[in-house]
Amino acid sequence: MKISVFGSGYVGLVSAACLADAGHSVLCVDVDVQKIEQLKQGIMPIYEPGLEDLVQRNVAQCRLQFGTDSQAAVKFGKLLFIAVGTPQDEDGSADLRYVLQVAQVIADHLDEYKLIINKSTVPVGTASKVQALIHTTLQRRGSTDAFDVCSNPEFLKEGAAIEDFTKAARIIVGTDSQRVISLMRECYAPYNRNRDKMMFMDVRSAELTKYAANAMLATKISFMNEMANIAQRLGADIEQVRQGIGSDPRIGYHFIYPGCGYGGTCLPKDVKALMHTANQAAYQAQLLQAVEAVNLRQKCWAFETLQAVFSGALSGKTIAVWGLAFKPNTDDMREASSRVLIEALWSVGARVRAYDPKATAEARRLYGERADLELCATQEDAVAGADALVICTEWKQFRALDFDWLRDQLRSPVLVDGRNLYQPQELLAHGLRYFAVGRGESIHSS
């Protein structure tokens, strides 16, 4: 099939590369000229495991091409995927300007049947807006060309996006058209062979499914963080509690790991957007409000722990931070807990020495060169002579640690673990003070 993808961001680029790898002919367009030129040279704008090889291979085999000509993209593909950003507006709503701009380009140049596919994460009712815009424009042009609009939400995890696309648990399509069903089955057939993973539903339900899925994941994380804070104050070990509740098949073990808060673009943005949608429908989503409030509070946990450990005397201290990305296997620092910690440390006069396997360049882009931030080349460099170590991201290379070495590197034997990587008793035996989320030494009296 000939497919055009509008947007070369995270979702657009991964989708374009995976569709091309299945044998489709794909044109991916973006208004960012520099990004497109880099992609043509095989330079990735983001870090995602396996993506660089996937893109370069399919470009070399002429199945994937990049460009900036949106009109050409409308002509090229029978299937037109809209995969542009929907940034959060000031009121928490999703900003649809880029989605509607693409829809307008399609409407202005459509001259034969096209299937327009909303891949971006958009509020309920967006497909109807896109359809109305295109219909109105075609009427004004005096055109009678047919088109369809469907919803095909993405469920890609950063760090595992290629596997999520190629081995998806489900492929959701919102439509009431048999023609659309047939075309979408053909599009995804290469990735739908083991069992039928395609789920067809009405458009509004498909749009809501994306938000509901992310809201549920965020709820599980905030719930476990709430339980961890209770456990800390009661002298219980949240890791033992986690195993106890996870063994219940009605609950399961997925997404019940406490930590220093969730970040990235999806969960924070989508929870706020769903709250805004609910408000517009005259409904107060109290549970979602609590989920967000717990997460915002949890992002302050590491700083508050350091404040308590050093009795508020953090000015002049050097704090080592391992992990800057909001999760492993990405360089994305958007809404990352590390940023809340680092900025809070600066506000009280502390200095930060940070290390991340992939996000160093992003941190430098965000913060520039400043005297109170040293971005280190290795995790060893970051802790040398620091007053304490904080772990914000659970990169695998942090899991096996020489505790005696760490104790000797630090001026104060303090480890604040925002991802619960270690066993408290083991660190205690090596002379380290260990503060984890819902376990380890407590800053609260029980």
Side-chain angles (χ1 to χ4, degrees), residues 23-326:
H24 297 305
S25 182
V26 181
L27 170 60
C28 182
V29 294
D30 200 294
V31 295
D32 189 331
V33 176
Q34 182 179 1
K35 183 192 287 187
I36 290 298
E37 288 304 314
Q38 289 180 330
L39 284 167
K40 287 179 178 179
Q41 298 169 32
I43 302 171
M44 298 302 103
I46 56 173
Y47 173 74
E48 177 65 30
L51 183 60
E52 183 175 1
D53 176 68
L54 191 69
V55 169
Q56 291 176 352
R57 183 173 70 248
N58 282 282
V59 168
Q61 296 174 354
C62 300
R63 289 195 296 263
L64 175 61
Q65 53 185 313
F66 296 98
T68 57
D69 189 340
S70 296
Q71 180 178 350
V74 177
K75 301 286 186 185
F76 178 85
K78 184 172 185 177
L79 273 57
L80 309 179
F81 280 83
I82 301 178
V84 294
T86 52
Q88 181 179 302
D89 224 333
E90 290 184 7
D91 60 0
S93 64
D95 186 343
L96 295 178
R97 78 179 81 172
Y98 303 118
V99 171
L100 296 178
Q101 284 174 6
V102 173
Q104 187 64 62
V105 169
I106 294 171
D108 289 340
H109 301 291
L110 190 148
D111 59 4
E112 60 180 331
Y113 176 82
K114 304 287 182 179
L115 170 55
I116 298 97
I117 303 155
N118 273 343
K119 196 71 173 171
S120 301
T121 300
V122 293
V124 175
T126 301
S128 297
K129 291 181 179 179
V130 169
Q131 184 149 5
L133 186 155
I134 296 174
H135 179 72
T136 300
T137 301
L138 290 178
Q139 277 191 322
R140 188 173 65 248
R141 289 175 51 202
S143 171
T144 58
D145 291 308
F147 71 96
D148 283 304
V149 178
C150 74
S151 172
N152 176 217
E154 56 86 14
F155 296 96
L156 306 179
K157 297 188 298 291
E158 291 193 40
I162 293 172
E163 184 173 3
D164 284 346
F165 194 101
T166 59
K167 301 177 182 178
R170 76 288 204 201
I171 302 168
I172 290 177
V173 177
T175 185
D176 57 4
S177 163
Q178 287 300 316
R179 186 177 191 176
V180 172
I181 290 173
S182 176
L183 287 170
M184 293 301 283
R185 281 199 176 279
E186 183 181 352
C187 175
Y188 282 108
Y191 297 127
N192 193 41
R193 296 173 64 85
N194 186 38
R195 62 177 177 84
D196 189 3
K197 295 177 285 189
M198 301 202 69
M199 300 177 64
F200 296 95
M201 58 185 71
D202 67 85
V203 174
R204 297 177 79 87
S205 296
E207 291 171 329
L208 181 56
T209 296
K210 167 63 178 180
Y211 281 105
N214 278 349
M216 174 59 82
L217 296 176
T219 299
K220 294 182 75 172
I221 295 171
S222 281
F223 174 82
M224 283 306 295
N225 284 333
E226 194 85 297
M227 291 300 103
N229 293 330
I230 294 172
Q232 191 85 73
R233 288 159 175 79
L234 297 179
D237 185 335
I238 193 61
E239 174 60 17
Q240 295 181 39
V241 175
R242 182 190 70 81
Q243 293 181 30
I245 66 173
S247 63
D248 186 330
R250 297 171 300 174
I251 298 173
Y253 292 102
H254 293 297
F255 269 74
I256 59 168
Y257 290 89
C260 50
Y262 60 77
T265 56
C266 293
L267 299 193
K269 178 170 71 73
D270 291 355
V271 168
K272 291 186 182 75
L274 187 53
M275 287 166 53
H276 182 269
T277 298
N279 289 338
Q280 286 188 316
Y283 181 76
Q284 188 177 23
Q286 293 179 338
L287 178 58
L288 297 182
Q289 292 171 5
V291 167
E292 183 188 20
V294 168
N295 190 57
L296 292 175
R297 182 179 65 193
Q298 199 67 17
K299 288 184 176 182
C300 300
W301 172 85
F303 176 72
E304 291 172 353
T305 300
L306 288 170
Q307 282 274 63
V309 170
F310 289 100
S311 302
L314 285 171
S315 179
K317 292 284 193 295
T318 297
I319 306 300
V321 176
W322 281 1
L324 296 170
F326 84 93

